[in-house]
Amino acid sequence: GAGVSQTPSNKVTEKGKYVELRCDPISGHTALYWYRQSLGQGPEFLIYFQGTGAADDSGLPNDRFFAVRPEGSVSTLKIQRTERGDSAVYLCASSLLVDGELFFGEGSRLTVL
Amino acid sequence: AQSVTQPDIHITVSEGASLELRCNYSYGATPYLFWYVQSPGQGLQLLLKYFSGDTLVQGIKGFEAEFKRSQSSFNLRKPSVHWSDAAEYFCAVGRGGGYNKLIFGAGTRLAVHP
């Protein structure tokens, strides 16, 4: 059975570069979330999609961060002009119901040099 | 503002011993409370959740947690720990009646001695 798939699992980039992180949720799950987990911290909410639309993007730290989900399935988190402080594990989760159990992927570890 | 505190960063127990992981929360209304486990190379997995009703909640893998409103706590317990329980444990609070915009604690890393 397919769980939440995230690619790449690891990404190393240089400061100032553009990065895309992809999330493929469980088939049929309409709710999709992005969280960010910095070293030694718990996950921090970034954005929530219900279907194709971003219902809550209040956790995005600044306008360098953007996420899309054009067909209501796969989502891409986009980070422009990366900074060293963006280094973290980016977690994607999906759920069948709006307030249903979250199923998390293994995350994409981003390192900005 | 909502917040979650997990006072213990690291805990070490012997296999077969009992376990209690502490979680305190700050939330203005009745909270939705969760415990997740994160093992190396795996995604976060839900152990149990509390929405309402019975304050003692049973979860997977033999875990339970008790909601104590007067103490703003939701401590996780297991009567007998197995070596496979070694992992990081996160407590989280969510807003009721809506989607899962969870606030996580910083986590407690559990080590199990044979």
Side-chain angles (χ1 to χ4, degrees), chain A residues 37 41-43, chain B residues 4-9 11 13 19-23 34-39 44-48 60-61 63 76-78 81-92 104-112:
Chain A
Q37 187 173 17
Q41 300 297 318
Chain B
V4 176
T5 301
Q6 294 181 247
D8 305 305
I9 299 174
I11 283 185
V13 300
L19 172 70
E20 182 169 29
L21 302 183
R22 296 182 291 164
C23 172
F34 306 79
W35 274 99
Y36 283 84
V37 61
Q38 188 175 41
S39 299
L44 284 158
Q45 181 181 22
L46 179 66
L47 285 176
L48 47 78
I60 63 171
K61 305 185 180 186
F63 286 92
L76 182 72
R77 300 193 295 248
K78 186 169 184 177
V81 170
H82 188 262
W83 63 266
S84 61
D85 293 325
E88 186 140 26
Y89 292 80
F90 293 94
C91 181
F104 283 85
T108 297
R109 183 165 295 278
L110 173 66
V112 180

Side-chain angles (χ1 to χ4, degrees), chain A residues 33 35 37 56 58 99-100 106, chain B residues 38 41 98-102 105:
Chain A
Y33 302 76
Y35 282 79
Q37 187 173 17
D56 183 347
S58 61
D99 59 353
E106 293 183 25
Chain B
Q38 188 175 41
Y99 51 94
N100 283 307
K101 185 177 181 178
L102 301 180

Side-chain angles (χ1 to χ4, degrees), chain B residues 19-72:
Chain B
L19 172 70
E20 182 169 29
L21 302 183
R22 296 182 291 164
C23 172
N24 293 98
Y25 67 89
S26 173
Y27 189 70
T30 301
Y32 284 15
L33 294 161
F34 306 79
W35 274 99
Y36 283 84
V37 61
Q38 188 175 41
S39 299
Q42 298 184 25
L44 284 158
Q45 181 181 22
L46 179 66
L47 285 176
L48 47 78
K49 62 186 178 187
Y50 171 78
F51 283 2
S52 64
D54 192 346
T55 57
L56 185 62
V57 180
Q58 301 298 321
I60 63 171
K61 305 185 180 186
F63 286 92
E64 67 177 26
E66 186 171 12
F67 170 57
K68 293 186 177 180
R69 183 187 300 276
S70 62
Q71 299 176 19
S72 296

